[in-house]
Structure formats: C-alpha cells, structure tokens
Amino acid sequence: MDLGLRQLRCLVAIVDEGTFTDAALALGVSQAAVSRTLASLEQALGVRLLRRTSRSVTPTSTGLRVVAHARRVLAEVDDLVLDATSGHAHLRIGYAWSTLGRHTLPFQRRWSRAHPETDLHLVRVNSATSGLAEGACDLAVVRRPLDDRRFESAIVGLERRLCAMASDDPLARRRSVRLADLAGRTLLVDRRTGTTTADLWPPDSRPVTEDIHDVDDWLTVIATGRSVGMTAESTANQYPRPGVVYRPVRDGEPIAVRLAWWKDDPHPATQAVLELLTALYRET
C-alpha cells in the first residue's frame, strides 16, 4: 500500500470545502485531478470514503475515521517542517535531574534579553544524554562525560557535591559530612544519569547502593530516613523538599557541569550558550 500526503490533503480538502469543485480551487488543481487523487486513495485503501450526489459530498463511516487520522498526520508533518526549518528561532536545552541550579533563572532572563529572536525551552529528559540522543533537545546539560563519539561537550562550571538525607537523620545536625560517614548507609543512585557511584569510596568501605530512576522518587525515599543520596548542588536548589536536607560532602570532588551537542550538527546558538553559562558559573 502506497499512500501519499497529496492524497490525504485532497481528501481533507474535499470534506472541508464540501464539493470537488471547491476542493480543486483550494488546492490549486483541476477538478479532474481531485477526482483522480481521491480514486487512487480509495483504491489503495480498498474502501469507499465519500458518498457523492449531484449536490453534496459526505464521508462514509470509514471516511470519517480516515479523515480524522489524515488530519493528525498532516498536522504532524506541518510540525516536522516547522521544526526542521526554524533552527534559529527555537532552542531546546535538555537536562536530567536538574538544569543549572541557582543559575537557571539568570540564564533564562539573560538569554531572553540578549537573544530575543531565539525562544529558549528547558526540557527534562531522564536519559544518559538528557534527551540529546532521543532528539528531544538541541543542546544538553550533563554532569558526567559522554562516551558517545557522536557528541561534543565542554565544561561550563563546577558544582559542590551534596548529601541528601532525612531532616531528622543524625547527620543532619552537622554542617557537612565526609564520605566515610556514609559508608554504612544505603545510597540511592541513578545509574543512567547520576554522578554518584560506589567507586567514590575505598573498596572495603563502600555503601550499599539501591537503584532509582526519578528525582521525585529519590526524594520521597530519602525523606523516610531509610536511605541517603548524593547529588550535585543544583539539585538542592531546584528540588527543596520538606523532610529532606542537603549537606556538603567535604571530601567529595566537585561535579563538572557540561554542555553537550551533536558533533556533526551543532545548533547555531551553541557558542552563545557556552559563553553565557561559563560566565554565570564564573560569577560565583
């Protein structure tokens, strides 16, 4: 079966305009071309789509269903064309658990003032590439190196490593903690996007790890006191939660914040984003 967009547009035009003559005018073709196109569509599908009389054209029950599908397909195609041809007008930046912490709002406002011609959208995608590989964004904020050679990345700043714990946890009374304080605890980790692994500890004093895949679930479990977590400083800024406190890890290495993009197809705004993010992190 070989269906084309021209056939679907023809069907929708006939239904919307009410006659073959008016559909031909709307499409800028002859009435004979409209008749041939509809006939080819009905032949491809093996069903009758329209009832025709000397005065009107109405869809059959099957035709009503096909028209509804056709409208959705044509709308998706129009969106595809708009997305492919408006690269300079839109910029999607993906992130997994958190965007830029306290720098998020200043980044959005400065970008809007400096680049009013390019709409900025922040997109949360909990994947290893923060939506870059999935096509959900044009640039991505990631907090661990990307091994995929299809992507380039650059460090824009560093963030402190924090421990998240229940507010009534004995460690919550301290201003900061050390890695050794967590050795006997259960540590919630996201293996796909997280910055924490048991390798941060010596082999003989590693905490027990438990997998989790969403920041809201992570916070909910931590609030019970059953487990603790370790994360970048930006998470604490973006996700304050009653019953959960964050404490700096004194001997935990800072976490590098990276901007990533497709190596063979960088967004035109990549350099401008790099410069602005680097400037924001340097200000603190």
Side-chain angles (χ1 to χ4, degrees), residues 109-208:
R109 289 181 173 176
R110 292 191 192 184
W111 182 267
S112 180
R113 290 195 299 267
H115 304 278
E117 75 286 354
T118 304
D119 290 333
L120 173 66
H121 302 276
L122 301 179
V123 185
R124 183 182 168 208
V125 183
N126 197 40
S127 73
T129 65
S130 297
L132 201 57
E134 294 80 0
C137 59
D138 307 298
L139 301 173
V141 175
V142 296
R143 287 177 170 81
R144 61 183 190 184
L146 296 180
D147 295 330
D148 196 321
R149 293 184 178 180
R150 295 176 298 171
F151 306 119
E152 291 278 7
S153 67
I155 295 176
V156 296
L158 300 174
E159 294 178 347
R160 293 185 301 168
R161 195 179 295 267
L162 304 183
C163 177
M165 64 193 76
S167 56
D168 59 354
D169 192 294
L171 292 177
R173 295 193 291 268
R174 303 184 185 182
R175 292 185 177 180
S176 62
V177 299
R178 293 183 178 277
L179 289 171
D181 298 326
L182 309 175
R185 308 294 294 271
T186 298
L187 186 71
L188 294 178
V189 298
D190 185 343
R191 299 183 190 277
R192 293 180 301 177
T193 68
T195 57
T196 302
T197 69
D199 294 337
L200 291 171
W201 286 263
D204 58 346
S205 59
R206 290 175 176 169
V208 175

Side-chain angles (χ1 to χ4, degrees), residues 164-282:
M165 64 193 76
S167 56
D168 59 354
D169 192 294
L171 292 177
R173 295 193 291 268
R174 303 184 185 182
R175 292 185 177 180
S176 62
V177 299
R178 293 183 178 277
L179 289 171
D181 298 326
L182 309 175
R185 308 294 294 271
T186 298
L187 186 71
L188 294 178
V189 298
D190 185 343
R191 299 183 190 277
R192 293 180 301 177
T193 68
T195 57
T196 302
T197 69
D199 294 337
L200 291 171
W201 286 263
D204 58 346
S205 59
R206 290 175 176 169
V208 175
T209 60
E210 183 176 314
D211 288 348
I212 202 146
H213 303 298
D214 182 83
V215 64
D216 287 318
D217 295 340
W218 183 77
L219 289 166
T220 299
V221 175
I222 289 173
T224 68
R226 181 167 60 86
S227 307
V228 297
M230 194 175 298
T231 188
E233 185 177 357
S234 57
T235 304
N237 181 277
Q238 190 160 334
Y239 297 101
R241 176 70 65 92
V244 176
V245 298
Y246 297 89
R247 296 290 181 262
V249 182
R250 291 201 299 273
D251 54 348
E253 292 184 0
I255 296 171
V257 182
R258 292 174 166 84
L259 184 71
W261 60 91
W262 284 90
K263 182 185 298 185
D264 63 351
D265 188 25
H267 190 280
T270 300
Q271 187 60 37
V273 175
L274 270 174
E275 292 174 0
L276 180 51
L277 292 183
T278 302
L280 284 168
Y281 274 95
R282 284 177 178 171

